[in-house]
Amino acid sequence: GAGGFGGGFGGGQQQRQQKKKQQQQPSPPAFRKDDPSGVVPLGKAKFPDTRSKHAWLLLFYDNNSHQKDGTTKQYVSQAKQLSEGVLKKAKGSKNGMLFKVGAVDCSNGSNNEALKFCQSKLGKGVKLPAFATVLNGSVDVVTDNSALQSAKKLHDHATSSLLQMDGLIINVNSMQHIQSRLLSSSPSSAVDHPPVAIVLFTDKYETSPLYASLAYRHRRDGFAAFGESRGKNLNLGREFSIKKYPTLVAIVVVSNTTTEEKEENRVERYDGASLDLESLSNWVNGLSKKYFKSSDSRNGGNNRKRQQRGQSS
């Protein structure tokens, strides 16, 4: 039976030597570099900033205590569970994840460098381990105890933080709204390309985390805005010949030389078979290549290339 595991560890001296050895050896990393759970180990160099493509939930922890300290052990396990769940929902595609889960080891490096970095992000009074959301470079520590109880509760906390972002998704229910709330709020950098707004027509009354994640991911691409027409709005649906829900469209303002009206709206529809985040994101990327190409090469083209290469943040 289990006898085979007990042998060979007898002898006081042997145990003492082993203990000494263990103390000298650093703890094995809680998260591997390419962790199967999808959790991304992060440090100063790759810490998400205002330009990061993904929304993040991060675990700040001390790797030396992840095997000894109960709370650290629990948080490490929750981070892995959470990331596995989000990755599974994205059918195993890291690029299709609703948000990414990262881990920052605050015990790394010499002279407490990593600890100082963690404190600079969390604020000095925050004890490790701690979870925090990172949206637009802003770090918000999860202080709500009920959110820390399980991977599912953490998931809900991260998605609701994303959904509560100001101006990420704009509610529209008339053509006038589309004009005044979406198309006229084109970014100032977008003067040399036509305003393009993305609108989701849905029969739901609440914004889906998937659409919020799509809007977040493309918030800096140059689109005028991401709008949503909720609750099966028939009048607006008729204007765009919406036959089924949900339907995602892009409204492009094009200059018109043939009629008296200077501009008209051209509509492009997403007609892919799958409504997963990666497919939708590829469609939105195609639109920005098509309409923002000229300004992009001068503007933020290098940033986007860098992000696509790095994919991590």
Side-chain angles (χ1 to χ4, degrees), residues 224-259:
F226 283 77
E228 185 174 47
S229 170
R230 301 178 190 137
K232 222 173 190 171
N233 182 315
L234 294 176
N235 290 337
L236 199 52
R238 215 171 284 127
E239 294 272 2
F240 290 91
S241 314
I242 301 299
K243 302 277 190 290
K244 62 177 175 45
Y245 297 92
T247 293
L248 191 64
V249 304
I251 303 167
V252 188
V253 180
V254 287
S255 305
N256 204 334
T257 46
T258 51
T259 61

Side-chain angles (χ1 to χ4, degrees), residues 97-241:
M97 289 172 81
L98 211 53
F99 57 86
K100 292 228 174 170
V101 183
V104 183
D105 175 10
C106 304
S107 67
N108 249 338
S110 53
N111 303 331
N112 287 339
E113 248 170 86
L115 184 61
K116 285 174 194 156
F117 173 70
C118 289
Q119 285 171 341
S120 74
K121 292 295 177 190
L122 294 169
K124 278 214 163 105
V126 177
K127 289 189 172 69
L128 297 175
F131 278 105
T133 55
V134 186
L135 295 166
N136 265 339
S138 162
V139 180
D140 280 299
V141 178
V142 182
T143 52
D144 175 5
N145 276 329
S146 66
L148 297 165
Q149 298 308 310
S150 69
K152 165 85 176 80
K153 296 242 170 86
L154 272 169
H155 177 277
D156 295 347
H157 179 88
T159 51
S160 77
S161 302
L162 183 61
L163 288 164
Q164 284 160 20
M165 277 187 79
D166 232 18
L168 187 63
I169 309 276
I170 293 158
N171 189 20
V172 291
N173 43 39
S174 68
M175 285 305 286
Q176 194 211 335
H177 283 169
I178 284 181
Q179 196 49 52
S180 62
R181 296 181 185 179
L182 302 185
L183 295 170
S184 61
S185 59
S186 211
S188 51
S189 62
V191 283
D192 50 358
H193 67 67
V196 182
I198 307 287
V199 182
L200 176 68
F201 290 86
T202 173
D203 51 0
K204 305 275 191 290
Y205 288 90
E206 307 256 316
T207 301
S208 83
L210 185 114
Y211 188 47
S213 185
L214 182 73
Y216 183 83
R217 187 177 285 214
H218 296 282
R219 70 199 183 283
R220 292 184 165 270
D221 289 9
F223 291 96
F226 283 77
E228 185 174 47
S229 170
R230 301 178 190 137
K232 222 173 190 171
N233 182 315
L234 294 176
N235 290 337
L236 199 52
R238 215 171 284 127
E239 294 272 2
F240 290 91
S241 314

Side-chain angles (χ1 to χ4, degrees), residues 190 192-198 221-223 250-254 265-269 283-296:
D192 50 358
H193 67 67
V196 182
I198 307 287
D221 289 9
F223 291 96
I251 303 167
V252 188
V253 180
V254 287
N265 293 342
R266 179 193 299 156
V267 177
E268 293 208 22
R269 286 165 200 274
W283 179 71
V284 176
N285 270 335
L287 291 167
S288 60
K289 281 198 185 91
K290 183 172 175 180
Y291 293 108
F292 309 152
K293 213 170 179 178
S294 57
S295 62
D296 189 53

